[in-house]
Amino acid sequence: MTETDEEIYARQGLGRRAGFGVAPALVIVDYVVGFADPSQFGGGNIGPAIEQTVHLLAHARRKGWPVAHTRVVYAEDGSDAGVFTLKAPSLLKLTETSPLSQIIPELTPVPGELVVRKRGASAFFDTNLAGFLTMRRVDTLVVTGCTTSGCVRATVVDALQHDFRSIVATDCVGDRAIAPHEANLFDMGQKYADLMTRAEIEALG
């Protein structure tokens, strides 16, 4: 009898839950105009994930959670481009002033919320996100954003390596294609994060 994927991981001691800590923060990865637009970087289930994130952000604000938003931002002349842009040169369109790099209006940051400008996949790499979270004694990150297989995954892996618990809000993350979205949710849930829906997160209080 062939084992299921879940049975293989469970037999090897993977897929345990880290649990929800006592001091959560919300991290919203790259919900900018360009990733909300299927003609640019979007598509798939990103639109519905944004709609769910609007509600989760409102919940986080009511609860007083620290909130961080990320944007991909490159220099206008491309002088800070790296290997990432060799793989995805269209990212160089995401400059400070480009309309494509602006956080979507529905998720506009309010005073006190951090806006992280990044050039890599992870929200942590070469940014001040870890310091922002540590200063506020955060122990759990609720992660939303796009893409599930790219910048969300990279952020979750780095969160683990900074010893933050991660909760991926499964209906608040999206990808331009569903297969990588589903595969990466499964893999993150087995090794790097707990998976919860928005409703499950909000029900925790």
Side-chain angles (χ1 to χ4, degrees):
M1 182 175 176
T2 303
E3 289 181 290
T4 66
D5 291 343
E6 289 80 3
E7 288 169 341
I8 293 169
Y9 280 73
R11 176 171 54 78
Q12 296 182 4
L14 302 173
R16 307 288 178 87
R17 295 187 69 82
F20 207 101
V22 298
L26 178 65
V27 178
I28 303 174
V29 179
D30 294 353
Y31 273 156
V32 298
V33 171
F35 281 95
D37 184 350
S39 71
Q40 296 291 335
F41 302 104
N45 64 337
I46 292 176
I50 288 173
E51 293 175 9
Q52 292 295 318
T53 300
V54 170
H55 298 292
L56 186 55
L57 174 58
H59 175 80
R61 287 170 172 168
R62 287 193 299 270
K63 292 294 183 178
W65 295 359
V67 176
H69 308 251
T70 77
R71 303 170 55 203
V72 177
V73 177
Y74 286 97
E76 297 286 344
D77 62 359
S79 57
D80 55 357
V83 173
F84 196 13
T85 62
L86 297 180
K87 293 292 294 181
S90 55
L91 290 174
L92 289 172
K93 295 187 290 186
L94 300 175
T95 63
E96 181 64 41
T97 58
S98 168
L100 297 177
S101 184
Q102 307 310 310
I103 294 170
I104 61 171
E106 304 96 304
L107 298 172
T108 299
V110 300
E113 295 179 356
L114 179 68
V115 177
V116 175
R117 290 162 174 82
K118 65 188 183 72
R119 294 180 295 112
S122 170
F124 286 94
F125 184 75
D126 203 22
T127 76
N128 63 337
L129 178 58
F132 171 84
L133 298 169
T134 300
M135 180 69 181
R136 288 153 182 80
R137 301 184 184 279
V138 167
D139 64 5
T140 304
L141 302 191
V142 176
V143 182
T144 74
C146 66
T147 60
T148 313
S149 60
C151 296
V152 168
R153 181 190 176 95
T155 297
V156 165
V157 171
D158 271 2
L160 178 86
Q161 293 171 160
H162 281 84
D163 277 330
F164 294 110
R165 304 169 192 237
S166 286
I167 310 295
V168 177
T170 55
D171 48 357
C172 297
V173 294
D175 212 314
R176 60 180 62 87
I178 301 304
H181 166 76
E182 293 178 345
N184 280 275
L185 278 181
F186 175 82
D187 197 57
M188 284 189 286
Q190 295 299 320
K191 295 184 288 188
Y192 306 119
D194 291 355
L195 306 182
M196 300 178 69
T197 65
R198 174 177 73 87
E200 290 170 335
I201 293 166
E202 292 178 357
L204 291 173

